[in-house]
Amino acid sequence: KDESKGPKATINIKDLNATFQPEKTRHPNGLQITYTKDGHTRSIFVYHENGMEIVSWFNSIRAARLYYLRKEFPTTSEAELIPRITRKYLKEGYMEKTGPKHKESFRKRWFSLDLYERKLLYFKDPVDAFEQGEVFIGSSDHGYEVLDNIPSGVRGNKWKYGITIVTPERKFVFACENEREHKEWIDAFKEVIARPMSPQDYTAEAAVQRKR
């Protein structure tokens, strides 16, 4: 192959994130790198046999991100910037989901909840390159709510521990496999909904709504 044509992708540091993912990559030195591409979240999974090498790459990404954030938000305190340098997902795992009419078949999907981006991403497989869809989760002051059940009349879920995310536009219905997963997801959603929305969050909310 001719490798002289230049890079296959250029990643904007603005949207870049990295998190260690040994379980997803099935390697102790696995890293998940995400960025925005054409309005979707692109995931790349990489690893290195040398643990120090992958840590060096991770730290380099963090250094570049901190430099960007300091330039972009010069009046924001360091304490507020640090959590946004790179971040782990607040909660990940499988749930079942149905469609907007709540009459569609429930399908098992992998979900990733991003606290700071206020997005619930879902994938057919944990290591898919792109998400199948996303749900913006705003604050309680703006009509967002989490319920620990499934609306009456909804049928077809194999897993019995229901969750409903109420948004100004519609209700999203999910089901968890067991009580522990159900509680962890409920607690995670409540944590996101309890956070006040920033001006950037309103922009992100509008962008997600335009996709539908």
Side-chain angles (χ1 to χ4, degrees), residues 109-137:
R109 293 292 182 260
W110 177 268
F111 289 84
S112 300
L113 179 59
D114 190 322
L115 173 64
Y116 289 99
E117 295 293 328
R118 309 190 76 110
K119 288 181 181 180
L120 177 68
L121 306 173
Y122 57 91
F123 308 80
K124 189 172 183 180
D125 187 272
V127 292
D128 282 349
F130 291 97
E131 83 282 9
Q132 284 194 325
E134 61 184 3
V135 180
F136 181 87
I137 301 176

Side-chain angles (χ1 to χ4, degrees), residues 3-211:
E3 300 291 345
S4 63
K5 295 182 180 180
K8 291 184 178 180
T10 301
I11 302 174
N12 193 326
I13 203 72
K14 172 181 177 291
D15 304 311
L16 183 61
N17 187 50
T19 180
F20 289 105
Q21 291 282 12
E23 291 185 5
K24 284 186 184 178
T25 58
R26 299 181 181 178
H27 194 285
N29 303 324
L31 197 67
Q32 180 178 0
I33 297 170
T34 58
Y35 62 98
T36 302
K37 181 178 181 181
D38 300 327
H40 293 276
T41 299
R42 173 74 163 100
S43 294
I44 300 173
F45 296 89
V46 298
Y47 67 88
H48 199 284
E49 296 300 334
N50 186 328
M52 292 185 65
E53 183 72 19
I54 207 72
V55 168
S56 178
W57 276 106
F58 177 73
N59 288 336
S60 296
I61 291 171
R62 284 181 59 83
R65 281 279 302 163
L66 180 57
Y67 179 83
Y68 161 78
L69 291 170
R70 283 171 172 167
K71 292 288 187 182
E72 189 72 11
F73 307 103
T75 61
T76 304
S77 69
E78 199 91 339
E80 292 178 278
L81 292 180
I82 287 175
R84 290 183 173 270
I85 299 173
T86 54
R87 61 203 181 275
K88 296 180 180 178
Y89 289 112
L90 180 61
K91 169 71 178 167
E92 289 191 286
Y94 283 107
M95 289 191 290
E96 292 182 330
K97 69 172 292 293
T98 186
K101 296 180 181 179
H102 303 165
K103 295 179 180 180
E104 300 87 346
S105 299
F106 275 82
R107 299 187 183 279
K108 181 181 175 182
R109 293 292 182 260
W110 177 268
F111 289 84
S112 300
L113 179 59
D114 190 322
L115 173 64
Y116 289 99
E117 295 293 328
R118 309 190 76 110
K119 288 181 181 180
L120 177 68
L121 306 173
Y122 57 91
F123 308 80
K124 189 172 183 180
D125 187 272
V127 292
D128 282 349
F130 291 97
E131 83 282 9
Q132 284 194 325
E134 61 184 3
V135 180
F136 181 87
I137 301 176
S139 66
S140 56
D141 294 340
H142 293 85
Y144 292 83
E145 184 182 5
V146 58
L147 306 176
D148 62 355
N149 54 49
I150 286 177
S152 60
V154 176
R155 300 287 185 270
N157 49 305
K158 295 178 182 177
W159 293 348
K160 303 304 178 185
Y161 297 88
I163 295 176
T164 301
I165 299 295
V166 180
T167 79
E169 286 191 317
R170 57 169 279 200
K171 294 179 180 179
F172 295 86
V173 178
F174 311 102
C176 300
E177 185 176 15
N178 54 57
E179 189 173 356
R180 178 182 60 81
E181 281 290 303
H182 183 253
K183 182 181 184 305
E184 288 180 1
W185 277 111
I186 290 288
D187 290 345
F189 287 132
K190 285 182 176 180
E191 185 173 344
V192 179
I193 290 171
R195 294 181 68 244
M197 288 176 62
S198 68
Q200 293 88 349
D201 290 333
Y202 291 109
T203 302
E205 179 185 40
V208 172
Q209 290 172 351
R210 285 195 297 269
K211 293 179 185 179

